[in-house]
Amino acid sequence: MSERKLEDMERLHQGRGLVLWSFMMSLDGFVAGPHHSMDWLGTGGYRVDPGVIEGYIEGTGAIIAGRDGWDSPVGHSPWGGAWQGPIFVLTHHPEDAEPAENVTFLHRDPADVVQLALAAAGGKDIMVFSPNIGAQLLERGLIDEIDLHIAPVLLGDGIRLYSKPGGAPIRLSPRAGDAASTVRVRYRPMS
């Protein structure tokens, strides 16, 4: 059995879900357009494999989000409103946030919020819906997995999943297979 599988089993036996950083992303690495716009998602008709969203809804116990994403038109309704549970929104100004059911606005260290979310998740997974917060947690070793759905579109501008100019590369390991293998993606431009 692989070391990763053993870690997953130990975590499940401890009653702790995974901390997942999950996004639909453009082929050029953007998770939102300029000014956190998510319009590109609605106009492309992009979809994930059958059962994926249902799996997220069933397996997620809490969400960690950033204020910019929360304030966007799609921020208040994870998975179209099909999921209900605790949402922790990190913000520098919790005092001016409009209260919402099951939402806690916090100005705290993201690592502390992971602990709050894990406690609230009841053993289920935590979803991180923020490029900035996800990057901070990744640098601290608090992201268990990055779960991406790459849409066949080049946005050219917007909010990147991860950007650290001058930073050292972060090597990733696939859940299965060779850690040095690449993923081949082929598309043709549409007119």
Side-chain angles (χ1 to χ4, degrees), residues 175-186:
R175 287 196 58 175
D178 180 0
S181 69
T182 60
V183 175
R184 183 178 185 191
V185 180
R186 293 177 69 180

Side-chain angles (χ1 to χ4, degrees), residues 49-112:
D49 291 335
V52 169
I53 300 300
E54 292 80 5
Y56 290 154
I57 292 167
E58 184 180 317
T60 300
I63 291 174
I64 298 174
R67 180 73 183 265
D68 288 331
W70 174 258
D71 286 343
S72 77
V74 297
H76 292 235
S77 303
W79 298 295
W83 181 85
Q84 299 295 315
I87 300 174
F88 299 90
V89 178
L90 275 75
T91 175
H92 292 288
H93 300 284
E95 70 280 354
D96 66 10
E98 187 174 324
E101 187 176 345
N102 294 323
V103 179
T104 304
F105 295 93
L106 302 163
H107 178 55
R108 295 188 50 186
D109 184 281
D112 293 340

Side-chain angles (χ1 to χ4, degrees), residues 127-144:
M127 285 290 196
V128 179
F129 290 160
S130 167
N132 185 299
I133 295 165
Q136 291 177 59
L137 296 175
L138 183 66
E139 291 170 4
R140 295 172 187 197
L142 296 172
I143 294 290
D144 294 310

